[in-house]
Amino acid sequence: MRNIPVNLGGYRLRIAEAPTMKTRKDKDGREEVVTVDGVTRYVVSLFAKSDGAKGEEIRVTLETDPGEGFEEGQLVELIDARVSPYSFRNDRGETVSGMAFAAMGLKPAA
């Protein structure tokens, strides 16, 4: 299953690293900007914390340009948040598992 809708309304989401264009290394080791159907993807690091619990940093892929004005420490909300579980075997034979967060966009918290 992929792109499972999630409700993060019970969490305070604070920007840990401001949004930037998402990049990956190509076959030659050079950085290239990630695009899907010609649309640039962005990534933002958020510190997610619910009341009375220890927080955790998550990285979220944004499908649209978040625009200007998002800075470290700012509280935000995700638009159309989704999660996709993954598991794969890396070059060293280790199994790597986790959850990939994605959202349509980002907006200041109300």
Side-chain angles (χ1 to χ4, degrees):
M1 292 178 60
R2 297 186 46 80
N3 292 317
I4 303 164
V6 292
N7 178 355
L8 297 173
Y11 290 83
R12 284 187 311 281
L13 303 175
R14 187 175 305 276
I15 295 178
E17 290 180 29
T20 59
M21 283 190 254
K22 186 172 185 172
T23 60
R24 66 175 164 229
K25 292 192 188 245
D26 68 8
K27 296 173 192 164
D28 299 325
R30 293 179 297 208
E31 294 281 321
E32 66 180 8
V33 174
V34 175
T35 60
V36 176
D37 297 328
V39 178
T40 301
R41 301 296 182 174
Y42 290 79
V43 66
V44 63
S45 280
L46 302 175
F47 189 74
K49 185 175 184 335
S50 65
D51 289 336
K54 183 179 173 185
E56 179 173 340
E57 189 169 319
I58 61 173
R59 292 184 61 81
V60 181
T61 298
L62 303 173
E63 296 176 354
T64 60
D65 183 348
E68 298 293 319
F70 291 104
E71 301 173 2
E72 287 183 28
Q74 181 179 0
L75 290 174
V76 294
E77 295 176 15
L78 294 172
I79 301 167
D80 189 24
R82 298 171 316 283
V83 67
S84 295
Y86 64 85
S87 181
F88 64 90
R89 201 171 286 284
N90 67 15
D91 307 4
R92 297 183 301 243
E94 303 164 328
T95 299
V96 179
S97 304
M99 294 187 309
F101 289 88
M104 184 59 68
L106 195 62
K107 67 179 183 179

